[in-house]
Amino acid sequence: MGSPERCQQRHLVRDTANCLLLLEKLHPEQVRRRTWIAQMLGHLRAQGMEQLPAILPCGNGSLLHVHNGESWQLSRYIENDPLPQPEYIHHPARGKALGTFLNNLAKHSQGLEKSLEEPESVPSLPAYIKDLMHRVERIKPDVHNLLLPVHGKWTELSQESGCNLPHRLCHGDLHPLN
């Protein structure tokens, strides 16, 4: 079973060359967004970000395989070494690598988000902060309590800046374990 937010099911399979692949069954409400993400990944890889996963096309070139009314996506499995925990947070090279990745993402995605129709609108910054605070309160109440003193300032600053902040493509869950 995959992450309930990421997919409905997740399977590790091998192709005829014995390479590991990740096969994911999508929730019906994920199909449009996951297809858009697959297109963006393809564009970013073509721009030089080969480290990003590629969604493998079906025989007909589609980035989505529909079988018996169910939608599936296939990508190469990315093997990695387990990080030493918790000491990995003290490795400056990891932070530098994440920063380099974000800079490359900003550079290679400039204008791409407008070239593909995004399946859903980007929430306003105040709406995002409100949603984030509700999620943190539900999942990590202790962290929520730590964020409360700055929550008002975040909201104030986000309302002041409003639409003046640039929208950029971002990872969404960037950290060394992901």
Side-chain angles (χ1 to χ4, degrees):
M1 201 58 121
S3 164
E5 293 175 356
R6 174 139 171 95
C7 63
Q8 199 169 12
Q9 291 179 27
R10 184 179 291 155
H11 305 276
L12 201 54
V13 298
R14 291 192 183 273
D15 66 7
T16 55
N18 207 28
C19 294
L20 287 173
L21 303 171
L22 187 63
L23 179 63
E24 294 178 300
K25 178 181 171 186
L26 306 181
H27 294 286
E29 64 274 4
Q30 292 177 302
V31 169
R32 189 168 176 216
R33 180 147 182 88
R34 289 288 299 272
T35 301
W36 179 80
I37 290 170
Q39 291 171 338
M40 284 300 253
L41 288 171
H43 283 287
L44 290 167
R45 286 178 58 82
Q47 292 291 319
M49 295 191 72
E50 291 89 13
Q51 75 272 33
L52 292 173
I55 304 301
L56 303 175
C58 302
N60 65 3
S62 172
L63 297 170
L64 189 72
H65 177 71
V66 180
H67 179 71
N68 291 337
E70 297 174 333
S71 300
W72 298 82
Q73 281 187 330
L74 186 67
S75 60
R76 297 198 193 294
Y77 177 71
I78 301 172
E79 296 193 47
N80 58 42
D81 296 324
L83 288 175
Q85 292 186 41
E87 59 270 12
Y88 77 87
I89 65 169
H90 300 290
H91 300 163
R94 296 185 195 283
K96 185 175 180 179
L98 290 175
T100 299
F101 172 81
L102 288 175
N103 283 332
N104 286 336
L105 183 61
K107 180 175 77 173
H108 293 301
S109 68
Q110 203 155 23
L112 282 179
E113 62 272 11
K114 293 179 180 119
S115 68
L116 297 171
E117 182 182 333
E118 189 171 1
E120 56 194 51
S121 64
V122 176
S124 70
L125 188 54
Y128 174 78
I129 292 170
K130 182 179 179 181
D131 179 63
L132 178 65
M133 289 298 288
H134 285 302
R135 287 187 203 200
V136 172
E137 182 178 29
R138 190 178 70 246
I139 298 167
K140 294 275 190 182
D142 53 326
V143 173
H144 179 264
N145 290 336
L146 292 172
L147 293 175
L148 281 174
V150 295
H151 176 251
K153 194 62 174 170
W154 281 350
T155 303
E156 181 185 321
L157 288 172
S158 68
Q159 289 170 344
E160 285 176 12
S161 59
C163 297
N164 297 330
L165 293 175
H167 287 124
R168 294 284 186 262
L169 189 63
C170 65
H171 185 284
D173 194 17
L174 186 66
H175 56 82
L177 293 172
N178 196 4

